[in-house]
Amino acid sequence: MAGVSSTSLAAALASLEPKLATASITLAQDLFGILGLLDSNAGLRRALTDPARESGEKAALVSTLIGGKVSPEAESAFAGLVASRWSSARDIGDALEVLAATSAIAVAEGQGDGSANLDKLEEELFTFIRVVGSSHDLQRALDDAQATDAAKSALALKVVPNASAVSALLIRQAVVSPRGLKPTALVQRFVELVAKRQQRWIASVSVTRDLSAEQFTRLQAGLNNLYGRQLKINVNIDPTLVGGIKVEVGDEVVDATAATRLAELRRRLAV
């Protein structure tokens, strides 16, 4: 996905993010359900992505299709996608899949120790990829066009018998609606989304000199307070650094130009 579609997806993810802290797995289930509706109707996809169609007409179509049938959060997220521009009709489905998977992953993240839960989710998804990828019989069974969705789901979940609710949802989605991919390939995409989410828990900190144990402790506390979660801290020494400190968490970079946000951290390190 590139160009205007990539921009629209980024905007949709940014809009969704504030809702993820309190989201339940229902949001992901609803979004996957809407995706199934889109995938089953090419005419609907074209109607919802037609740039010549009035936005009010598209909104009315969304309301007719899913109004009252899914959670308000899911309806809002889908309406936002429909209001955006897309390079191709398929791109809106691809974006919806990313939003659904991201919602599910955020549910796992929000349960207790977020970082550890994401590690567990990643391992469960990797187990599915590893076991299915090494068995031609399993691959044939999961690709069997004559098998029911229920049968495929049951077989897939036997591969990861103690899978969490989020892992089970993502694995079922991959075997029931692989959308032109092998189930293992789609699960690999989900793993990549988990890895991206994990970056929110890792802070790469560049400083001009080695930190003492006490300074590191203060840095840890300051960053945890700044980001509102328990971060893993990786410290890099860069004597050429302007401003004394640079912090990268996920896609966010906070450097010396963000003097207000870093002033407190520098003060803590100097004490």
Side-chain angles (χ1 to χ4, degrees):
M1 191 183 299
V4 66
S5 291
S6 179
T7 300
S8 293
L9 173 57
L13 286 168
S15 178
L16 181 68
E17 184 62 37
K19 306 171 186 176
L20 295 181
T22 57
S24 72
I25 200 168
T26 299
L27 174 57
Q29 292 168 332
D30 285 346
L31 292 175
F32 277 134
I34 299 170
L35 176 59
L37 180 64
L38 283 185
D39 283 345
S40 67
N41 192 326
L44 176 61
R45 294 196 301 276
R46 288 193 294 270
L48 292 173
T49 56
D50 183 356
R53 191 179 289 265
E54 293 290 336
S55 58
E57 187 179 354
K58 292 181 182 180
L61 182 53
V62 169
S63 180
T64 299
L65 285 170
I66 63 173
K69 301 174 185 176
V70 298
S71 65
E73 294 79 9
E75 184 173 352
S76 174
F78 182 52
L81 291 180
V82 171
S84 299
R85 296 178 57 206
W86 303 96
S87 301
S88 72
R90 180 181 170 86
D91 284 352
I92 191 173
D94 291 345
L96 187 55
E97 184 177 71
V98 171
L99 261 61
T102 299
S103 299
I105 293 164
V107 170
E109 179 185 27
Q111 297 171 342
D113 185 342
S115 180
N117 286 338
L118 291 179
D119 289 343
K120 181 176 183 293
L121 173 60
E122 186 176 54
E123 178 55 34
E124 289 173 347
L125 297 179
F126 268 133
T127 295
F128 175 83
I129 293 170
R130 186 167 56 250
V131 174
V132 174
S134 64
S135 171
H136 293 302
D137 289 339
L138 274 175
Q139 292 171 41
R140 282 193 295 269
L142 294 175
D143 289 338
D144 186 358
Q146 303 302 315
T148 65
D149 290 348
K152 290 181 180 180
S153 296
L155 177 60
L157 293 180
K158 287 182 180 179
V159 173
V160 192
N162 297 315
S164 66
V166 171
S167 292
L169 173 63
L170 295 177
I171 290 170
R172 279 196 301 267
Q173 181 68 21
V175 300
V176 171
S177 300
R179 308 185 69 240
L181 298 175
K182 294 292 186 184
T184 51
L186 183 51
V187 172
Q188 179 60 47
R189 286 190 180 180
F190 294 154
V191 168
E192 291 166 4
L193 291 175
V194 175
K196 183 176 182 180
R197 197 78 187 168
Q198 285 173 313
Q199 293 304 307
R200 289 168 23 93
W201 295 83
I202 300 173
S204 294
V205 179
S206 297
V207 292
T208 56
R209 62 183 187 278
D210 286 327
L211 300 178
S212 67
E214 183 180 357
Q215 286 176 320
F216 182 85
T217 298
R218 290 198 297 268
L219 174 66
Q220 175 89 64
L223 286 174
N224 288 347
N225 181 64
L226 184 63
Y227 285 90
R229 51 185 178 270
Q230 297 292 317
L231 296 170
K232 299 177 182 177
I233 311 296
N234 295 329
V235 177
N236 307 303
I237 307 302
D238 182 0
T240 67
L241 189 66
V242 176
I245 184 171
K246 177 180 177 182
V247 178
E248 298 177 71
V249 179
D251 294 330
E252 182 178 2
V253 178
V254 184
D255 58 23
T257 61
T260 301
R261 297 191 71 186
L262 289 179
E264 175 62 17
L265 286 177
R266 285 199 295 268
R267 187 191 68 77
R268 286 172 177 265
L269 293 180
V271 173

